[in-house]
Amino acid sequence: MKDAIVIAKTHTITLGVVRSLGKAGYGARVLTLNKNVARIVGKSKYVRQVCVAGLSFEEIWQAMEALRGTDRFILAIPLNDDVCLMLDEHSEQLREHYAIPKLEGMPGGIKRFMDKMVQKQAAQQCGLLTAPGQSYTTDDDGIERAVREAAFPCFQKPLASANSKSGGKACFAVCTNQDELRNAMRGAEGCGCGDVLLEAYLPIEKELTAYGVAANGQVFIPACMEALRSNKGVAAEGMIRSASCLGETKEALESFVRKCGLTGLFCVDLIQCGGKLYFTEINLRSGGSGYGATLAGANLPATLANMIYGRSMEGPKDIQREVHFLNEYVELNSVMDGSITNQEYRAHMSQALERFIRSEDDPEPWKCYCRYVLIRKRLLKLLHLR
């Protein structure tokens, strides 16, 4: 059975893809930019090799070559925006030996399609609803133009998340007046975000994410995640349901992805407002709750591997069961940054919900993660005492 190289920065999403591949018989060779991820994910029984690399393309490429070894061709699955962008920019160099995310007929297509205005226009052409919006630069001229033109309240987000030093989360803001907008745009600039998208603010009834996979003109969207509690845009607790709950929006999303010519994992963020579903963005990679789809019976990483290696062009059209999950890593971040109390953290962790790190079938990463949590808590306590 073949392997795949999994490239990521965070514990949960990496471990989820590794286990998804492993459950289908594929081995995982992990390339991470974080030593703690290497320690934890490297304990999984499904991991064949682990390599830690620096942030430059040259360092990542050398690590990829070491992991590829003597294999002529191998699937590479990047799990964060900046690495997706980096591989896309060097796709000509990589294409002989690696299957990477791509958009057909569009050199540099991943970079272009990370622009949320481009996404919105393509989504509208497929009949998807989007909030009215306009892009602006975050220099002085762009800020003053935005202040003159924006209707309030408005919602600010990075035009392309990969271009923000903070990963984009610090660039999100709801602005109700001109002063708030100026401050938010200056804050975005400070995070390395040179362009933002300002949209009409839509009161959110539900936050949803559709999970899918695409290759060779085939698109499968079997699962939909509803976030019940979130921290910085990532679900700490959520429900995985059948994507059929999206109604006609599911077919529109499939058409949207098919027209993009995407090969790779993806997830589409949606919001429900006034009983209607609005497209917000597509991530050209698996999202933070992607392992929930595997737990629900829709193994998307394995489907991608099957399609790339020619084992099967069939994919899951639906989930097999609903899953109520808790993401332990996001929950830990929530208590560390004060979003929830210690008592709430303990109560949430004691619930009989399905988990992303703890696993009876693959227990060693959880044991290592628990040691990581203890060390992190002790360090935080020492910092507070000083």
Side-chain angles (χ1 to χ4, degrees), residues 3-7 28-32 48-52 60-71 74 98:
D3 290 358
I5 297 175
V6 181
I7 311 171
R29 306 175 193 179
V30 175
L31 195 170
T32 179
R48 303 270 176 88
Q49 294 174 264
V50 181
C51 185
V52 180
I60 291 173
W61 178 69
Q62 288 178 1
M64 290 174 68
E65 285 288 274
L67 289 173
R68 180 173 67 86
T70 59
D71 288 6
I74 191 168
Y98 300 94

CSV table of all heavy atoms in Angstrom, one decimal, residues 3-7 28-32 48-52 60-71 74 98:
chain,number,residue,atom,x,y,z
A,3,ASP,N,2.0,5.4,0.5
A,3,ASP,CA,2.0,6.4,1.5
A,3,ASP,C,1.6,7.8,1.0
A,3,ASP,O,1.5,8.0,-0.2
A,3,ASP,CB,3.4,6.5,2.1
A,3,ASP,CG,3.8,5.3,2.9
A,3,ASP,OD1,2.9,4.4,3.0
A,3,ASP,OD2,4.9,5.3,3.4
A,4,ALA,N,1.4,8.7,1.9
A,4,ALA,CA,1.2,10.1,1.5
A,4,ALA,C,2.0,11.0,2.5
A,4,ALA,O,2.2,10.6,3.7
A,4,ALA,CB,-0.3,10.5,1.6
A,5,ILE,N,2.5,12.1,2.0
A,5,ILE,CA,3.1,13.1,2.9
A,5,ILE,C,2.1,14.1,3.4
A,5,ILE,O,1.4,14.7,2.6
A,5,ILE,CB,4.3,13.8,2.1
A,5,ILE,CG1,5.3,12.8,1.6
A,5,ILE,CG2,4.9,14.9,3.0
A,5,ILE,CD1,6.4,13.4,0.8
A,6,VAL,N,2.0,14.2,4.7
A,6,VAL,CA,1.1,15.1,5.3
A,6,VAL,C,1.9,16.3,5.9
A,6,VAL,O,2.8,16.1,6.7
A,6,VAL,CB,0.3,14.4,6.5
A,6,VAL,CG1,-0.7,15.4,7.1
A,6,VAL,CG2,-0.4,13.2,5.9
A,7,ILE,N,1.6,17.5,5.5
A,7,ILE,CA,2.3,18.7,5.8
A,7,ILE,C,1.5,19.6,6.6
A,7,ILE,O,0.4,20.1,6.1
A,7,ILE,CB,2.9,19.5,4.6
A,7,ILE,CG1,3.6,18.5,3.6
A,7,ILE,CG2,3.8,20.6,5.0
A,7,ILE,CD1,3.9,19.1,2.3
A,28,ALA,N,1.5,7.2,6.5
A,28,ALA,CA,1.6,8.6,6.5
A,28,ALA,C,3.1,9.0,6.8
A,28,ALA,O,3.7,8.4,7.8
A,28,ALA,CB,0.7,9.3,7.6
A,29,ARG,N,3.6,9.9,6.0
A,29,ARG,CA,5.0,10.4,6.3
A,29,ARG,C,4.7,11.9,6.6
A,29,ARG,O,4.2,12.6,5.8
A,29,ARG,CB,5.9,10.3,5.1
A,29,ARG,CG,6.0,8.9,4.6
A,29,ARG,CD,6.8,8.7,3.3
A,29,ARG,NE,6.6,7.4,2.7
A,29,ARG,CZ,7.2,7.0,1.5
A,29,ARG,NH1,8.0,7.9,0.9
A,29,ARG,NH2,7.0,5.8,1.0
A,30,VAL,N,5.0,12.3,7.9
A,30,VAL,CA,4.6,13.6,8.4
A,30,VAL,C,5.7,14.6,8.3
A,30,VAL,O,6.9,14.3,8.7
A,30,VAL,CB,4.1,13.5,9.8
A,30,VAL,CG1,3.8,14.9,10.4
A,30,VAL,CG2,2.9,12.6,9.9
A,31,LEU,N,5.4,15.7,7.6
A,31,LEU,CA,6.4,16.9,7.6
A,31,LEU,C,5.7,18.0,8.4
A,31,LEU,O,4.6,18.5,8.0
A,31,LEU,CB,6.6,17.3,6.1
A,31,LEU,CG,7.8,18.2,5.8
A,31,LEU,CD1,8.0,18.3,4.3
A,31,LEU,CD2,7.6,19.6,6.4
A,32,THR,N,6.3,18.4,9.5
A,32,THR,CA,5.7,19.4,10.3
A,32,THR,C,6.6,20.6,10.5
A,32,THR,O,7.9,20.4,10.5
A,32,THR,CB,5.2,18.9,11.6
A,32,THR,OG1,4.6,19.9,12.4
A,32,THR,CG2,6.3,18.2,12.4
A,48,ARG,N,4.8,6.6,9.4
A,48,ARG,CA,6.0,5.8,9.0
A,48,ARG,C,7.2,6.6,9.2
A,48,ARG,O,8.2,6.1,9.6
A,48,ARG,CB,5.9,5.5,7.5
A,48,ARG,CG,4.6,4.7,7.1
A,48,ARG,CD,4.8,3.2,7.1
A,48,ARG,NE,3.6,2.5,6.8
A,48,ARG,CZ,3.2,2.1,5.6
A,48,ARG,NH1,3.9,2.5,4.6
A,48,ARG,NH2,2.1,1.4,5.5
A,49,GLN,N,7.2,7.9,9.0
A,49,GLN,CA,8.3,8.8,9.2
A,49,GLN,C,7.9,10.2,9.6
A,49,GLN,O,6.7,10.6,9.3
A,49,GLN,CB,9.1,9.0,7.8
A,49,GLN,CG,9.8,7.7,7.3
A,49,GLN,CD,10.4,8.0,5.9
A,49,GLN,OE1,9.8,7.7,4.9
A,49,GLN,NE2,11.6,8.6,5.9
A,50,VAL,N,8.7,10.9,10.3
A,50,VAL,CA,8.4,12.2,10.7
A,50,VAL,C,9.6,13.1,10.4
A,50,VAL,O,10.8,12.7,10.7
A,50,VAL,CB,8.1,12.3,12.2
A,50,VAL,CG1,7.8,13.8,12.6
A,50,VAL,CG2,7.0,11.4,12.6
A,51,CYS,N,9.4,14.3,9.9
A,51,CYS,CA,10.5,15.2,9.6
A,51,CYS,C,10.0,16.7,10.1
A,51,CYS,O,8.9,17.0,9.8
A,51,CYS,CB,10.8,15.2,8.1
A,51,CYS,SG,12.2,16.2,7.7
A,52,VAL,N,10.9,17.4,10.7
A,52,VAL,CA,10.6,18.8,11.1
A,52,VAL,C,11.4,19.7,10.2
A,52,VAL,O,12.6,19.5,10.0
A,52,VAL,CB,11.0,19.1,12.6
A,52,VAL,CG1,10.7,20.5,12.9
A,52,VAL,CG2,10.2,18.1,13.5
A,60,ILE,N,11.4,23.1,3.2
A,60,ILE,CA,10.2,22.2,3.1
A,60,ILE,C,10.5,21.3,1.9
A,60,ILE,O,10.2,20.1,2.0
A,60,ILE,CB,8.9,23.1,2.9
A,60,ILE,CG1,8.6,23.8,4.2
A,60,ILE,CG2,7.8,22.2,2.5
A,60,ILE,CD1,7.4,24.7,4.1
A,61,TRP,N,11.0,21.8,0.8
A,61,TRP,CA,11.2,20.9,-0.3
A,61,TRP,C,12.3,19.8,0.0
A,61,TRP,O,12.1,18.7,-0.4
A,61,TRP,CB,11.6,21.8,-1.5
A,61,TRP,CG,12.0,20.9,-2.8
A,61,TRP,CD1,11.1,20.2,-3.5
A,61,TRP,CD2,13.2,20.7,-3.3
A,61,TRP,NE1,11.8,19.6,-4.5
A,61,TRP,CE2,13.1,19.8,-4.4
A,61,TRP,CE3,14.5,21.1,-3.0
A,61,TRP,CZ2,14.2,19.4,-5.2
A,61,TRP,CZ3,15.6,20.7,-3.8
A,61,TRP,CH2,15.4,19.9,-4.9
A,62,GLN,N,13.3,20.2,0.6
A,62,GLN,CA,14.4,19.2,1.0
A,62,GLN,C,13.8,18.2,1.9
A,62,GLN,O,14.1,17.0,1.8
A,62,GLN,CB,15.5,19.9,1.7
A,62,GLN,CG,16.4,20.8,0.7
A,62,GLN,CD,17.5,21.5,1.4
A,62,GLN,OE1,17.7,21.4,2.6
A,62,GLN,NE2,18.3,22.2,0.6
A,63,ALA,N,12.9,18.6,2.8
A,63,ALA,CA,12.3,17.6,3.7
A,63,ALA,C,11.3,16.7,3.0
A,63,ALA,O,11.2,15.5,3.2
A,63,ALA,CB,11.5,18.3,4.8
A,64,MET,N,10.6,17.3,2.0
A,64,MET,CA,9.7,16.5,1.1
A,64,MET,C,10.5,15.4,0.4
A,64,MET,O,10.1,14.3,0.2
A,64,MET,CB,8.9,17.4,0.2
A,64,MET,CG,7.9,18.2,0.9
A,64,MET,SD,7.1,19.4,-0.3
A,64,MET,CE,6.2,18.3,-1.4
A,65,GLU,N,11.6,15.8,-0.2
A,65,GLU,CA,12.5,14.9,-0.9
A,65,GLU,C,13.0,13.8,0.0
A,65,GLU,O,13.1,12.6,-0.5
A,65,GLU,CB,13.7,15.7,-1.6
A,65,GLU,CG,13.3,16.5,-2.8
A,65,GLU,CD,12.9,15.6,-4.0
A,65,GLU,OE1,13.9,15.3,-4.7
A,65,GLU,OE2,11.7,15.3,-4.2
A,66,ALA,N,13.4,14.1,1.2
A,66,ALA,CA,13.9,13.1,2.1
A,66,ALA,C,12.7,12.1,2.4
A,66,ALA,O,13.0,10.9,2.5
A,66,ALA,CB,14.4,13.7,3.4
A,67,LEU,N,11.5,12.6,2.6
A,67,LEU,CA,10.4,11.7,2.9
A,67,LEU,C,10.0,10.9,1.7
A,67,LEU,O,9.5,9.8,1.8
A,67,LEU,CB,9.2,12.6,3.4
A,67,LEU,CG,9.4,13.2,4.8
A,67,LEU,CD1,8.2,14.1,5.2
A,67,LEU,CD2,9.5,12.1,5.9
A,68,ARG,N,10.1,11.5,0.5
A,68,ARG,CA,9.7,10.8,-0.7
A,68,ARG,C,10.6,9.6,-0.9
A,68,ARG,O,10.2,8.5,-1.4
A,68,ARG,CB,9.8,11.7,-1.9
A,68,ARG,CG,9.4,11.0,-3.2
A,68,ARG,CD,9.3,12.0,-4.4
A,68,ARG,NE,10.6,12.6,-4.7
A,68,ARG,CZ,11.4,12.1,-5.6
A,68,ARG,NH1,11.2,10.9,-6.2
A,68,ARG,NH2,12.6,12.7,-5.9
A,69,GLY,N,11.9,9.8,-0.6
A,69,GLY,CA,12.9,8.7,-0.8
A,69,GLY,C,13.0,8.2,-2.2
A,69,GLY,O,13.2,9.0,-3.1
A,70,THR,N,12.8,6.9,-2.4
A,70,THR,CA,12.9,6.3,-3.8
A,70,THR,C,11.6,6.3,-4.5
A,70,THR,O,11.5,5.8,-5.7
A,70,THR,CB,13.5,4.9,-3.7
A,70,THR,OG1,12.6,4.1,-2.9
A,70,THR,CG2,14.9,4.9,-3.1
A,71,ASP,N,10.5,6.7,-3.9
A,71,ASP,CA,9.2,6.7,-4.6
A,71,ASP,C,9.2,7.7,-5.8
A,71,ASP,O,9.7,8.8,-5.7
A,71,ASP,CB,8.1,7.1,-3.7
A,71,ASP,CG,7.8,6.1,-2.6
A,71,ASP,OD1,8.5,5.1,-2.6
A,71,ASP,OD2,6.8,6.3,-1.9
A,74,ILE,N,4.3,10.7,-5.3
A,74,ILE,CA,3.6,10.5,-4.0
A,74,ILE,C,2.7,11.7,-3.8
A,74,ILE,O,2.9,12.8,-4.3
A,74,ILE,CB,4.7,10.5,-2.9
A,74,ILE,CG1,4.0,10.1,-1.5
A,74,ILE,CG2,5.4,11.8,-2.7
A,74,ILE,CD1,5.1,9.7,-0.5
A,98,TYR,N,5.2,14.9,-7.3
A,98,TYR,CA,4.2,15.1,-6.2
A,98,TYR,C,2.8,15.4,-6.8
A,98,TYR,O,2.7,16.2,-7.7
A,98,TYR,CB,4.7,16.2,-5.3
A,98,TYR,CG,6.0,16.0,-4.6
A,98,TYR,CD1,7.2,16.5,-5.2
A,98,TYR,CD2,6.0,15.3,-3.4
A,98,TYR,CE1,8.4,16.2,-4.5
A,98,TYR,CE2,7.3,15.1,-2.8
A,98,TYR,CZ,8.4,15.5,-3.3
A,98,TYR,OH,9.6,15.3,-2.7
